[in-house]
Amino acid sequence: QVQLVESGGGLVQAGGSLRLSCAASGSIFSINVMGWYRQAPGKQRDLVATITSGGSTNYADSVKGRFTISRDNNKNTLYLQMNSLKPEDTGVYYCNMAVTTLPLLRRGDYWGQGTQVTVSS
């Protein structure tokens, strides 16, 4: 099995910064795409950013230029640096990873438990 543990959420004023982390553990052979998603109250879960194993990134238009996604493949850890935060960035942030597991090399889609980010105006 694979577990994803997120950390780094909290309350911040508009214009501030936060850094989220998501560490994967378990019977991991490899991890392909990693991503961050967020869900605002009463809304669907939306893509924030993704990063491939080769380092190619993709961002939602609403966060381009403010957020930076990165990964440490040696530590199986995903990061999201969030700068110039806005109240509309408020929500629960979830990490997602496409993981190939041992011993049968099966690919699965795994989610973190979510971490709350609240940006006050």
Side-chain angles (χ1 to χ4, degrees):
Q1 260 296 0
V2 174
Q3 298 81 38
L4 304 187
V5 178
E6 303 177 21
S7 60
L11 173 64
V12 64
Q13 288 188 333
S17 298
L18 285 174
R19 189 190 194 211
L20 305 183
S21 299
C22 175
S25 62
S27 303
I28 297 170
F29 174 74
S30 65
I31 305 175
N32 190 0
V33 178
M34 298 181 175
W36 289 99
Y37 293 74
R38 69 184 177 195
Q39 188 167 17
K43 296 189 176 180
Q44 66 181 17
R45 190 176 299 185
D46 292 327
L47 171 72
V48 175
T50 61
I51 184 168
T52 68
S53 57
S56 296
T57 58
N58 178 58
Y59 294 92
D61 288 343
S62 60
V63 306
K64 283 180 181 177
R66 300 188 298 121
F67 290 11
T68 302
I69 189 171
S70 61
R71 61 190 284 172
D72 185 332
N73 291 327
N74 291 325
K75 296 181 179 180
N76 290 330
T77 300
L78 174 67
Y79 304 97
L80 185 68
Q81 178 66 44
M82 303 186 293
N83 299 327
S84 302
L85 282 160
K86 304 175 180 180
E88 51 263 44
D89 294 319
T90 294
V92 180
Y93 283 69
Y94 297 90
C95 61
N96 172 264
M97 297 186 185
V99 182
T100 299
T101 57
L102 295 166
L104 299 179
L105 301 183
R106 287 179 175 167
R107 180 168 171 170
D109 203 39
Y110 295 87
W111 291 89
Q113 81 282 2
T115 186
Q116 177 70 44
V117 171
T118 303
V119 184
S120 63
S121 57

